[in-house]
Amino acid sequence: MPDMENAPAPVTIAGVRDRRVAERQQAEPPVHRDVLFDVDGLTASYSGVPALRDVSLEIYKNHITAFIGPSGCGKSTFIRCFNRMNDLIPTALVEGTIRYHGLDLYGPEVDSVEVRKRIGMVFQKPNPFPKSIYDNVAFGPRVLGWKDGLDDRVEQALRQAALWDEVKNRLKASAYSLSGGQQQRLCIARCLAVQPDVLLMDEPASALDPISTTAIEDLMHGLKEAYTIVIVTHNMQQAARVADMTAFFSVEVDEESDRRTGILVEYDETPTIFTNPGDKRTEDYVTGRFG
Amino acid sequence: MSTPALVVGKRPRGDKVRGTLFYVLLLVSVSIGFVLLGTLVVDVIRKGVGYVDPVLFTEPTSTNPERAGAGPAILGTIYMMLLLLAVVVPLGVGTAIYLEEYANRERWYNRLLELNIQNLAAVPSIVYGILGLAFLVRGLGLGRVLLAGALILTLLVLPTVIVASREAIRAVPDSIRQGAYALGATQWQVVSRQVLPASIPGIATGSILALARAIGETAPLLLVGALTYVAVNPTLLGSFTALPVQIYQWVARPQEEFRLLAAAGIIVLLAILLTMNAFAIWLRNRYQKRW
């Protein structure tokens, strides 16, 4: 096809069947994927009340995986399980297993600080440190004790985050002098500076204008080559634009106690989720009939 | 006859009178404080300004008002404030960091600690003086020395410093802590490299205001043995006096000249106080953070 270079995000769906069907038939998946995270029976609760129940899925290396779903479906809680951010909340409890390269992240020998060095996170609201642009990016390497070539690390991280040209002449300026979109790219650069394996993004563009959002999405496409990206988004178009795999979460309301618990409804390749979902609830959500 | 939907008329007369009356009352309350303070300051300056000369700053007190100065008292005050600052800042900030960043509020001893600190701030200073006399001067056998005076003033303002530091630490947004944790920082690194630097302006302001309170304290110093007649410059473990004690002694003298001398002492004390407060305000405005 002569127009191949101009084609948007080449997500190949031809020949790919429903994953569960493939499993049932004991067939090899048609596309080779390396499993990076293997989540099994994960339940996360706050003060004994489950926010998310019995989630099992696999996250693939060098893929962008999106978690979508209505408010309160536990998607943010879920993404925070991957870098053990929930450990910081005293009442939070995570049960089940998340295996990362086969190692249980919640195993007794695993230190949460070590986990977070490998698995970076970008938050919903840009949260630059009250320091200079340079010091924001240099914070991670300094914490890890990487003193050599700090200038190069900072420059490389800012280039990867497509921010270098905008800030190279004012690295000593306060990070607060940047616009919201620039601040968020700074936060991404800050993560990249510690050379993580995985980038977790919790609604990274929800506080940004459309142009900044596009910039972040373009960035994600580029970063996919080197990183595994997991993104939570409430914006379905965004999930459709950036993600290879999409997981749809929903809220289950217990009739008796009126407790609301998040559950994983469906997990599949993004085009399947949006064009041919296997679950009625997913279909209702992606077609805008619910949520 | 139908009433119009909206009537724009005059306010009822009673409302206007009440409003004016309230405004006048407010003015009166403001002016009472202002006039009293103004009178005091003007009176003190009128009386004492003639005695603000080199003798006041260098000479010890004497039975001859013309040769009497507050040299040892001013030095005693300066020494005590330096000592106080050196002890109260680490203790106060340390306690504040523990309570805000480490303490588990579920534990009874942490809640007890908090309650204690809040109550300590309301204990009258004379009680601290008695504590100093019983515990420092007699119990520890320090004797009536400058160190004992400094330590008891430290205890006196410690709750103030703790409360101010806690507020400064609490004002640092959680998103900054989360951002640092997400980069693989340990709790100690988060506190020492993010939380503490960001709260230093607030801590400094609180400490200066606490210092300003300590500098005017007389009663506890009298109890731990600040002498009213000290002819030599103070040492850490020697007898001492302080500026407010010296003023107190001069005022008690029958001769009119000593009253004028006391006024001169008050001018010096006020000048130090106002300078410190002004510095605190400048600091607060200079480093005011917009997160």
Side-chain angles (χ1 to χ4, degrees):
Chain A
M1 209 159 53
D3 274 336
M4 201 59 186
E5 283 167 27
N6 298 328
V11 182
T12 327
I13 49 168
V16 180
R17 281 160 299 175
D18 186 295
R19 197 168 58 87
R20 287 163 307 171
V21 174
E23 275 170 4
R24 221 178 296 136
Q25 297 177 346
Q26 294 293 310
E28 280 292 308
V31 178
H32 177 73
R33 297 192 180 107
D34 290 325
V35 175
L36 186 63
F37 288 104
D38 180 4
V39 183
D40 191 19
L42 187 107
T43 296
S45 2
Y46 298 109
S47 308
V49 181
L52 184 71
R53 200 178 57 223
D54 197 22
V55 176
S56 301
L57 52 72
E58 289 172 343
I59 307 274
Y60 305 109
K61 201 169 184 303
N62 297 100
H63 281 56
I64 299 179
T65 306
F67 300 158
I68 61 169
S71 306
C73 69
K75 54 194 191 297
S76 281
T77 298
F78 187 46
I79 200 173
R80 284 165 169 262
C81 291
F82 288 90
N83 64 343
R84 295 188 54 172
M85 281 305 270
N86 288 328
D87 287 20
L88 300 174
I89 305 166
T91 59
L93 177 70
V94 176
E95 293 157 297
T97 54
I98 298 183
R99 269 184 287 277
Y100 167 65
H101 289 297
L103 174 80
D104 184 6
L105 281 183
Y106 285 83
E109 74 283 7
V110 175
D111 181 23
S112 58
V113 170
E114 293 302 315
V115 170
R116 294 187 202 119
K117 285 176 188 171
R118 309 292 309 136
I119 303 170
M121 183 168 227
V122 177
F123 296 83
Q124 183 171 2
K125 198 169 151 266
N127 59 345
F129 300 134
K131 298 175 186 295
S132 70
I133 293 167
Y134 182 94
D135 286 340
N136 260 274
V137 183
F139 179 80
R142 280 176 178 151
V143 154
L144 299 184
W146 300 346
K147 295 192 182 77
D148 300 334
L150 198 56
D151 289 356
D152 292 339
R153 281 186 200 285
V154 170
E155 177 176 341
Q156 198 199 349
L158 285 168
R159 279 190 192 282
Q160 277 184 298
L163 192 59
W164 175 251
D165 290 332
E166 290 159 65
V167 301
K168 63 183 173 192
N169 294 323
R170 49 174 178 143
L171 290 173
K172 295 288 165 205
S174 163
Y176 289 103
S177 66
L178 299 174
S179 75
Q182 289 174 324
Q183 286 187 9
Q184 194 62 301
R185 274 180 285 150
L186 179 68
C187 292
I188 293 172
R190 198 169 72 182
C191 280
L192 299 180
V194 298
Q195 298 177 351
D197 221 15
V198 185
L199 214 48
L200 306 173
M201 302 177 127
D202 187 358
E203 304 200 24
S206 68
L208 305 181
D209 60 89
I211 292 171
S212 302
T213 302
T214 310
I216 301 270
E217 287 176 8
D218 290 346
L219 192 56
M220 290 171 69
H221 280 299
L223 291 174
K224 201 172 82 170
E225 304 295 320
Y227 301 89
T228 303
I229 298 177
V230 181
I231 175 174
V232 165
T233 176
H234 63 236
N235 180 334
M236 281 181 285
Q237 286 75 32
Q238 184 168 60
R241 283 191 299 263
V242 301
D244 304 309
M245 302 292 294
T246 297
F248 170 65
F249 290 78
S250 189
V251 188
E252 196 178 56
V253 184
D254 187 290
E255 297 294 339
E256 284 168 35
S257 62
D258 198 37
R259 273 185 185 163
R260 306 167 78 81
T261 313
I263 49 162
L264 173 64
V265 174
E266 190 169 356
Y267 178 48
D268 214 318
E269 300 200 340
T270 302
T272 310
I273 288 283
F274 282 96
T275 58
N276 188 21
D279 195 290
K280 180 80 168 61
R281 291 168 290 179
T282 313
E283 191 182 335
D284 286 350
Y285 186 76
V286 298
T287 52
R289 253 173 283 179
F290 153 71
Chain B
M1 201 174 97
S2 65
T3 43
L6 179 70
V7 183
V8 184
K10 281 189 173 176
R11 263 184 299 172
R13 201 171 160 68
D15 274 11
K16 208 172 176 183
V17 170
R18 274 194 289 273
T20 313
L21 203 68
F22 186 61
Y23 184 65
V24 170
L25 266 174
L26 291 182
L27 279 187
V28 169
S29 359
V30 170
S31 45
I32 284 177
F34 195 73
V35 166
L36 277 180
L37 185 70
T39 320
L40 196 75
V41 170
V42 168
D43 186 53
V44 162
I45 289 176
R46 205 167 42 82
K47 283 183 179 157
V49 77
Y51 279 87
V52 181
D53 53 14
V55 174
L56 182 72
F57 291 97
T58 52
E59 295 303 311
T61 187
S62 152
T63 46
N64 177 356
E66 291 305 318
R67 282 193 288 135
I74 292 173
L75 263 182
T77 291
I78 292 173
Y79 285 2
M80 273 197 290
M81 290 307 119
L82 290 178
L83 267 175
L84 179 139
L85 212 56
V87 182
V88 84
V89 170
L91 272 184
V93 174
T95 311
I97 291 175
Y98 170 76
L99 285 174
E100 285 300 317
E101 301 288 326
Y102 288 84
N104 181 353
R105 297 287 296 278
E106 308 282 308
R107 300 261 182 272
W108 62 270
Y109 47 83
N110 286 324
R111 289 205 305 270
L112 186 73
L113 195 66
E114 228 167 276
L115 192 72
N116 253 316
I117 289 165
Q118 279 158 14
N119 285 324
L120 276 180
V123 171
S125 58
I126 191 92
V127 176
Y128 281 96
I130 296 169
L131 175 77
L133 180 64
F135 182 66
L136 295 175
V137 175
R138 302 236 171 99
L140 286 183
L142 268 183
R144 299 164 174 270
V145 295
L146 189 131
L147 183 62
L151 288 181
I152 210 61
L153 289 183
T154 302
L155 279 186
L156 180 73
V157 298
L158 185 58
T160 319
V161 174
I162 293 173
V163 170
S165 306
R166 286 187 68 181
E167 270 163 23
I169 289 168
R170 211 177 307 151
V172 178
D174 225 28
S175 61
I176 286 175
R177 291 181 186 83
Q178 301 236 338
Y181 276 122
L183 289 170
T186 61
Q187 186 168 23
W188 161 242
Q189 286 168 330
V190 172
V191 170
S192 63
R193 300 186 189 197
Q194 293 293 347
V195 178
L196 213 49
S199 50
I200 274 176
I203 290 171
T205 309
S207 303
I208 291 168
L209 293 179
L211 205 64
R213 187 194 163 189
I215 208 170
E217 280 295 339
T218 320
L221 290 183
L222 285 174
L223 273 174
V224 296
L227 299 178
T228 48
Y229 181 82
V230 174
V232 293
N233 285 340
T235 56
L236 195 60
L237 292 173
S239 60
F240 71 105
T241 190
L243 197 48
V245 176
Q246 187 68 70
I247 293 167
Y248 170 76
Q249 189 252 341
W250 279 338
V251 171
R253 284 294 198 57
Q255 297 100 313
E256 180 62 20
E257 288 88 344
F258 277 111
R259 307 255 167 89
L260 302 182
L261 204 53
I266 292 172
I267 293 174
V268 175
L269 197 60
L270 271 181
I272 297 175
L273 267 174
L274 290 179
T275 310
M276 275 163 47
N277 282 353
F279 184 62
I281 292 169
W282 175 81
L283 208 64
R284 198 176 53 206
N285 292 343
R286 169 83 172 73
Y287 290 100
Q288 213 158 37
K289 287 264 156 59
R290 284 177 200 90
W291 306 110

